[in-house]
């Protein structure tokens, strides 16, 4: 018999848009996600999100099947910060990279195992991004609507 892994009860968490990052030829939406009641993130967490994006995003952003757009989730969970960086390529492919940091040093990021996709709250934000991509980039317009995608933000509880 195996031991229980310490179940985390599901409680909705606040998510809100934190603007766009511009890194080289990338434009990246930033989502703030928090397990705390107020939902606020330290400024250092925004720096952690930027550092994760700088490290994860391939260069160049535009070309090689890439559109130069993506997203970062900066998540203040119950025991650490996590950052998920996602970018789109070849019409319908999403690539991701995950990072984590201690509460005491939110900008001191470390790469998570490559097999980690994200927690259930981060997956809700990723689902929002999938829906936004499908709606704005895979419709009838030949080149898609990149500005429409970047303007599709998520705010509320997930």
């Amino acid at each position: 018999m195996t031991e229980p892994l310490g179940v985390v009860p599901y409680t909705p968490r606040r998510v809100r848009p934190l603007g766009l990052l511009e890194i080289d030829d990338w434009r990246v939406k930033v989502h703030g996600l928090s397990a705390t009641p107020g939902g606020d993130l330290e400024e250092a967490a925004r720096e952690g999100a930027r550092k994760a994006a700088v490290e994860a995003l391939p260069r160049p952003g535009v070309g090689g099947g890439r559109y130069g757009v993506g997203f970062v989730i900066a998540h203040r969970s119950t025991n650490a910060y996590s950052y998920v960086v996602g970018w789109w390529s070849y019409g319908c492919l999403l690539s991701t990279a995950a990072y984590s940091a201690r509460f005491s040093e939110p900008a001191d990021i470390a790469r998570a195992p490559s097999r980690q996709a994200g927690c259930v709250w981060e997956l809700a934000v990723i689902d929002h991004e999938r829906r936004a991509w499908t709606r704005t980039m895979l419709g009838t317009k030949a080149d898609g609507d990149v500005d429409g995608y970047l303007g599709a933000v998520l705010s509320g509880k997930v």
Side-chain angles (χ1 to χ4, degrees):
M1 186 164 167
T2 60
E3 289 187 38
L5 297 176
V7 175
V8 176
Y10 179 81
T11 304
R13 295 184 180 179
R14 183 173 180 220
V15 62
R16 63 189 174 108
L18 298 178
L20 282 176
L21 287 175
E22 293 189 20
I23 301 165
D24 299 332
D25 58 345
W26 285 98
R27 291 185 292 163
V28 180
K29 297 189 265 185
V30 182
H31 299 279
L33 179 62
S34 182
T36 63
D40 293 327
L41 302 178
E42 291 87 350
E43 190 59 38
R46 294 173 192 240
E47 178 61 16
R50 188 194 67 74
K51 286 174 74 174
V54 166
E55 183 175 309
L57 295 170
R59 304 303 193 283
V62 177
R66 292 183 296 274
Y67 303 87
V69 295
F71 60 90
V72 180
I73 304 166
H75 183 190
R76 188 183 203 292
S77 71
T78 57
N79 59 356
Y81 270 99
S82 63
Y83 305 98
V84 177
V85 182
W87 62 97
W88 296 99
S89 61
Y90 297 106
C92 61
L93 297 179
L94 175 65
S95 297
T96 62
Y99 297 81
S100 63
R102 298 177 310 277
F103 282 144
S104 60
E105 295 290 333
D108 185 18
I109 63 170
R111 183 79 185 252
S114 60
R115 62 191 170 275
Q116 178 177 317
C119 71
V120 296
W121 295 276
E122 293 158 355
L123 291 175
V125 179
I126 292 170
D127 180 57
H128 159 79
E129 289 298 310
R130 182 194 68 79
R131 291 169 187 265
W133 187 260
T134 301
R135 185 175 60 254
T136 60
M137 296 298 292
L138 301 180
T140 57
K141 191 174 173 185
D143 293 333
D145 180 6
V146 170
D147 290 331
Y149 169 73
L150 292 171
V153 297
L154 181 60
S155 185
K157 299 268 185 154
V158 294

